[in-house]
Amino acid sequence: MTTQPLKLSSKAEYLSFVDQFDTFMFDCDGVLWHDESLVPGAVQVLEHLRALKKKIIFVTNNATKSRKNYKKKFDRLGVQAEVDEVFGSAYASAVYISSVLQLPKDEKVYVIGQAGLEEELDEEGIQHIGGTVRGHPLSPPTILLNFKARIYFQDPADKTFDAFDITKFERDPKVAVVLAGLDTAINYTKLAKAMQYLTQNPGCRFIATNEDSTYPVGGGQFLPGAGSISAPLRYITKTDPVSIGKPNQAMMDTIKAKHHFDPKKTVMIGDRLDTDIIFGNKGGCSTLLVLTGVAKEADLRPEANPPVLPDFIVNSLGDLAVLKN
Ligand SMILES: O=C(O)[C@H](O)[C@H](O)COP(=O)(O)O
Ligand SMILES: [Mg+2]
């Protein structure tokens, strides 16, 4: 970890920076894009690194999409990426529940979150209720050579603004995990159900995909992040969840299970000090902070009491696009 970050601002500095590393780990929200809008120049930088045969890994705390759906987003935005290069907190959480917790197949996860979480839990063969599904995917009859199209229904019981009537709630005794991620359709019913499971099902575990307080949407604007969705459950249960995403080791473990890289020749590029930069530091990697997401240069001043300092800073990842010319 550095004591004084180096602000990159010239082509010579960009060249020297890129030459130092073989592996580039990229955060997504606030670095590559804001929702569906790419950061100007980001694609050119990725293309340049690909041309230099650098190893590229995408590491996002955004649990709303599965790896496969992130691949579709990369394709949609014209960014070269393979599924095996993408690590999201939905994937890391599903792997943690199946491989670390080794949740028995007859037990279930109550999901506060979106399709990404459900799809990754399905990939790991983990039963789940809540989220956006009726409690189990409705598998239609086999069609097209065993291609099963899973159809998910919004469970009317959860997607409601009605008061929660506990007398009508059938608590499922097989729920052994409450998994909370970014859920833009959060409501009282979901929190009430999660609370019942966490306080009434013996040994029920509380897991958060990540704990980002805010979600950068571009133009210096922010929305509540996943951490702000699971925060009420922390307050209710007076317990901290096991958190999977950056800066936690579980996310790094899922990457190391798939990719070999030398931390000394690796740089983590992110927009948050308390997730991306700490994550890179804990992994023994160098770190580059971009100023197109959550962190601002003022956050690095001593009086702001930063949790960590990056090794390098750049205004935008896109600034390095000059290397492609
Ligand atoms: O609220 C969240 O989940 C996060 O703000 C968001 O998804 C962060 O994604 P990342 O910057 O790690 O790509
Ligand atoms: Mg980010």
Side-chain angles (χ1 to χ4, degrees), residues 27-29 59-62 182 210 212 214-216 225-226 246 271:
D27 171 42
C28 298
D29 291 333
V59 194
T60 177
N61 271 3
N62 190 316
L182 187 57
N210 60 298
D212 299 53
T214 60
Y215 172 67
K246 299 168 289 184
D271 69 297

Side-chain angles (χ1 to χ4, degrees), residues 14 18 32 35-36 69 100 104 112 123 150 208 218 246 256 262 274 280 285-286 296 299-300 306 321:
Y14 302 151
V18 167
L32 301 182
D35 284 335
E36 293 291 313
N69 270 324
V100 178
I112 288 185
E123 287 282 326
R150 284 179 175 274
K246 299 168 289 184
K256 287 185 172 176
D262 176 359
D274 61 351
C285 309
S286 295
K296 297 305 168 210
D299 298 331
L300 304 175

Side-chain angles (χ1 to χ4, degrees), residues 33-299:
W33 56 51
H34 299 100
D35 284 335
E36 293 291 313
S37 301
L38 280 167
V39 168
V43 174
Q44 289 77 2
V45 175
L46 290 169
E47 290 170 348
H48 178 63
L49 294 174
R50 295 275 191 199
L52 296 178
K53 307 295 183 213
K54 303 289 187 181
K55 187 183 197 50
I56 290 179
I57 298 172
F58 301 101
V59 194
T60 177
N61 271 3
N62 190 316
T64 60
K65 290 181 183 64
S66 60
R67 304 176 90 196
K68 287 177 182 170
N69 270 324
Y70 264 113
K71 164 64 177 164
K72 290 177 184 168
K73 177 170 182 176
F74 278 109
D75 290 348
R76 193 166 62 242
L77 295 179
V79 181
Q80 181 192 341
E82 302 310 323
V83 172
D84 272 352
E85 293 174 332
V86 183
F87 293 84
S89 61
Y91 170 69
S93 299
V95 167
Y96 177 83
I97 292 169
S98 65
S99 305
V100 178
L101 287 188
Q102 297 183 343
L103 189 72
K105 292 300 179 191
D106 66 333
E107 294 186 356
K108 302 174 186 176
V109 175
Y110 179 74
V111 171
I112 288 185
Q114 302 178 205
L117 268 184
E118 296 156 327
E119 289 160 15
E120 296 290 9
L121 289 169
D122 282 343
E123 287 282 326
E124 295 292 324
I126 298 168
Q127 290 188 71
H128 53 88
I129 60 173
T132 65
V133 297
R134 174 176 298 283
H136 59 79
L138 181 68
S139 318
T142 302
I143 49 177
L144 295 181
L145 302 176
N146 290 322
F147 170 74
K148 277 187 185 267
R150 284 179 175 274
I151 298 174
Y152 291 105
F153 289 97
Q154 190 68 40
D155 187 339
D158 281 4
K159 194 170 175 67
T160 174
F161 286 114
D162 294 345
F164 180 70
D165 181 350
I166 196 164
T167 64
K168 293 182 180 146
F169 175 55
E170 291 177 33
R171 180 167 46 84
D172 186 333
K174 299 302 278 181
V175 169
V177 174
V178 167
L179 177 59
L182 187 57
D183 186 341
T184 55
I186 188 67
N187 61 30
Y188 187 84
T189 288
K190 292 179 181 181
L191 292 174
K193 287 188 174 183
M195 173 186 176
Q196 302 315 309
Y197 287 122
L198 288 171
T199 58
Q200 304 302 314
N201 281 26
C204 185
R205 297 171 182 89
F206 180 18
I207 298 178
T209 59
N210 60 298
E211 296 184 275
D212 299 53
S213 54
T214 60
Y215 172 67
V217 289
Q221 296 183 295
F222 303 89
L223 292 174
S228 302
I229 299 298
S230 53
L233 294 173
R234 300 167 74 124
Y235 191 63
I236 290 165
T237 61
K238 297 184 177 54
T239 55
D240 291 339
V242 170
S243 184
I244 303 299
K246 299 168 289 184
N248 300 289
Q249 187 60 34
M251 178 68 103
M252 186 60 84
D253 291 345
T254 48
I255 297 169
K256 287 185 172 176
K258 295 274 186 185
H259 293 276
H260 175 73
F261 60 89
D262 176 359
K264 294 184 187 60
K265 302 287 283 178
T266 300
V267 60
M268 173 71 206
I269 301 171
D271 69 297
R272 286 190 79 113
L273 293 171
D274 61 351
T275 56
D276 305 313
I277 306 305
I278 292 179
F279 178 75
N281 270 330
K282 284 170 64 176
C285 309
S286 295
T287 56
L288 168 66
L289 178 73
V290 301
L291 301 175
T292 47
V294 170
K296 297 305 168 210
E297 210 149 7
D299 298 331

